[in-house]
Amino acid sequence: MDILLKSARIIDPESAYHNKVRDILISGGVIQQVSASIPLTNEMQVLENIYISQGWTDSSVCFGEPGFEERETLANGMRTAEKSGFTHLLINPLTHPVVDSQSGVVYIKNKTAHCAATAHPIGALTIESKGEYLAELFDMKKGGAVAFGDYKKAISNSNLLKIALQYTQPFGGIVISFPNDTKIMGKGVVNEHIEATRLGLKGIPALAEELMVARDLAVLEYAGGKLHIPTISTAKSVALIREAKAKGLDVSCSVAIHNLHFTDEVLENFNTNYKVLPPLRDTANVQALREALNEGVIDFVTSDHNPLDIELKFKEFDWAAFGTIGLENAFGILTQYTSIERSIQLLTSARKRFGIPSTPIIEGTSADMTLFTPEGSSVFTINDILSASKNSAFIGETMKGKVIGVIARNQLVLN
């Protein structure tokens, strides 16, 4: 099928056509022609007056399968991602069994091979994500794993982190270290702040995150290697990572879209969809995250998409599981806090960090792109949720712009 994009505005700094309006002809999954005007034929599918960029990448997604299919299957999860504008997904090992071997990595790759989007498994850093012994990292790398981390579980053993950073250096592996001191967190469920006190909920101090960020960076400085710190949520974390980058340490970080958008003031009604880890912080910390978006300290934004069935969420706040879905909302929320060009950069830069080839919008390149418009707004409702699980913190929130679809792997997926 031939696809003609008429009068498409290209947002791609790697392309000579960046910020220009062009017609683009795609045939056989390859960009055949980019021109001011391309004549239309009857065999073409035409899309007009849209924005396009390289396909977006989400660095932290959970789908459940294998083992937790009641939360989300790979098939529906991948289709949800495609309709949300993502063509590359880093899939966390929050599965049963945990993806801690090459066979687990290959299972996810094979099960999603037919999809327009590409799955990039994150292998567990430790066996069964128990934090005791390193998993078979090199074997998983050969199978297609792009990084190694235990989802939402901190590496409490500093020596294990040191060994992991050293072991992965010969093959360029990236270690993911979730920053949370569980001893300081204790039984906390929300940010330690006036809201927690007012609502009678146990607090999680910002210190629980910041101590681990400081420790991780100290170990990285000693051992070398590549470190990714996911979903930071405090101003001090931003400052520590800014300082580490100034020293030349090979570290990246992300922020979850919900931590960027909400403050802990939304907890008023004890809605468990707002129970996330790290917790929603106070206004000062959230403002610091927003300001850091344009600095380059925050490398990319993630949905931190975590589908959870009703039995895990529909219970007392203290006992509900941490997590919200967010694939459907990442773009519509992010564009409210930064420019469209910076938004696209934050949604695509994980590619380079995790070794996923870029696909600049030029002639002869495979078509791997997201179609969208930054114009217009809408209110997100429960009927807009594409995921199998409905635990969304964004119900009732205003979305800016709209995802139209994706073109990838010689497939066109439209909303």
Side-chain angles (χ1 to χ4, degrees), residues 92-152:
N92 293 301
L94 186 62
T95 53
H96 185 70
V98 170
V99 178
D100 61 2
S101 66
Q102 187 180 104
S103 61
V105 172
V106 171
Y107 173 85
I108 292 174
K109 297 288 287 184
N110 289 344
K111 197 76 185 285
T112 58
H114 66 285
C115 300
T118 303
H120 303 276
I122 296 172
L125 184 72
T126 63
I127 295 172
E128 296 182 6
S129 287
K130 289 182 175 179
E132 297 174 353
Y133 307 102
L134 287 184
E136 295 290 347
L137 308 186
F138 183 59
D139 275 357
M140 287 192 284
K141 175 78 171 180
K142 289 193 293 184
V146 293
F148 310 100
D150 298 331
Y151 183 67
K152 298 297 181 186

Side-chain angles (χ1 to χ4, degrees), residues 182-190 201-204 318 322:
T182 55
K183 296 296 185 183
I184 290 179
M185 173 186 173
K187 295 182 179 179
V189 292
V190 298
L201 295 171
K202 296 182 181 69
I204 303 173
D318 280 342
F322 291 99

Side-chain angles (χ1 to χ4, degrees), residues 149-218:
D150 298 331
Y151 183 67
K152 298 297 181 186
K153 293 182 178 180
I155 307 170
S156 58
N157 184 336
S158 301
N159 191 54
L160 190 69
L161 173 61
K162 182 200 76 172
I163 293 169
L165 287 167
Q166 292 171 330
Y167 178 79
T168 51
Q169 286 178 45
F171 56 91
I174 298 176
V175 174
I176 298 175
S177 179
F178 178 65
N180 183 37
D181 188 314
T182 55
K183 296 296 185 183
I184 290 179
M185 173 186 173
K187 295 182 179 179
V189 292
V190 298
N191 181 45
E192 184 185 73
H193 189 242
I194 190 170
E195 291 297 321
T197 304
R198 195 169 65 82
L199 297 171
L201 295 171
K202 296 182 181 69
I204 303 173
L207 181 65
E209 175 179 313
E210 293 157 1
L211 266 182
M212 294 299 274
V213 170
R215 183 214 61 173
D216 290 356
L217 293 172

Side-chain angles (χ1 to χ4, degrees), residues 126-379:
T126 63
I127 295 172
E128 296 182 6
S129 287
K130 289 182 175 179
E132 297 174 353
Y133 307 102
L134 287 184
E136 295 290 347
L137 308 186
F138 183 59
D139 275 357
M140 287 192 284
K141 175 78 171 180
K142 289 193 293 184
V146 293
F148 310 100
D150 298 331
Y151 183 67
K152 298 297 181 186
K153 293 182 178 180
I155 307 170
S156 58
N157 184 336
S158 301
N159 191 54
L160 190 69
L161 173 61
K162 182 200 76 172
I163 293 169
L165 287 167
Q166 292 171 330
Y167 178 79
T168 51
Q169 286 178 45
F171 56 91
I174 298 176
V175 174
I176 298 175
S177 179
F178 178 65
N180 183 37
D181 188 314
T182 55
K183 296 296 185 183
I184 290 179
M185 173 186 173
K187 295 182 179 179
V189 292
V190 298
N191 181 45
E192 184 185 73
H193 189 242
I194 190 170
E195 291 297 321
T197 304
R198 195 169 65 82
L199 297 171
L201 295 171
K202 296 182 181 69
I204 303 173
L207 181 65
E209 175 179 313
E210 293 157 1
L211 266 182
M212 294 299 274
V213 170
R215 183 214 61 173
D216 290 356
L217 293 172
V219 175
L220 177 66
E221 187 171 11
Y222 172 84
K226 297 181 179 182
L227 178 69
H228 176 62
I229 302 176
T231 59
I232 62 170
S233 66
T234 78
K236 183 69 176 294
S237 294
V238 171
L240 288 166
I241 293 168
R242 181 189 296 114
E243 182 182 340
K245 288 187 171 186
K247 288 181 181 178
L249 299 186
D250 195 345
V251 61
S252 58
C253 70
S254 65
V255 63
I257 192 67
H258 45 265
N259 288 110
L260 191 68
H261 183 58
F262 296 108
T263 69
D264 56 3
E265 293 174 7
V266 299
L267 298 169
E268 179 73 29
N269 295 319
F270 298 91
N271 183 344
T272 59
N273 286 331
Y274 296 127
K275 185 179 179 181
V276 291
L277 192 66
L280 304 178
R281 300 291 186 185
D282 56 89
T283 302
N285 279 304
V286 173
Q287 189 59 40
L289 293 176
R290 293 172 184 172
E291 290 172 0
L293 279 183
N294 296 312
E295 276 187 65
V297 179
I298 294 174
D299 296 275
F300 24 91
V301 171
T302 173
S303 68
D304 202 24
H305 183 82
N306 188 3
L308 298 169
D309 62 83
I310 192 169
E311 291 183 352
L312 294 170
K313 275 293 190 182
F314 191 63
K315 53 176 65 176
E316 291 180 20
F317 201 97
D318 280 342
W319 299 108
F322 291 99
T324 177
I325 57 175
L327 274 169
E328 299 99 320
N329 312 101
F331 173 71
I333 295 294
L334 179 58
T335 52
Q336 298 177 36
Y337 298 107
T338 189
S339 68
I340 189 64
E341 289 190 26
R342 180 61 178 153
S343 295
I344 299 309
Q345 188 177 10
L346 288 162
L347 290 170
T348 55
S349 57
R351 279 188 177 215
K352 183 177 181 180
R353 178 60 171 166
F354 294 101
I356 301 167
S358 64
T359 52
I361 299 172
I362 55 177
E363 292 175 356
T365 303
S366 294
D368 183 328
M369 59 181 66
T370 301
L371 321 176
F372 62 96
T373 175
E375 297 159 4
S377 64
S378 61
V379 175

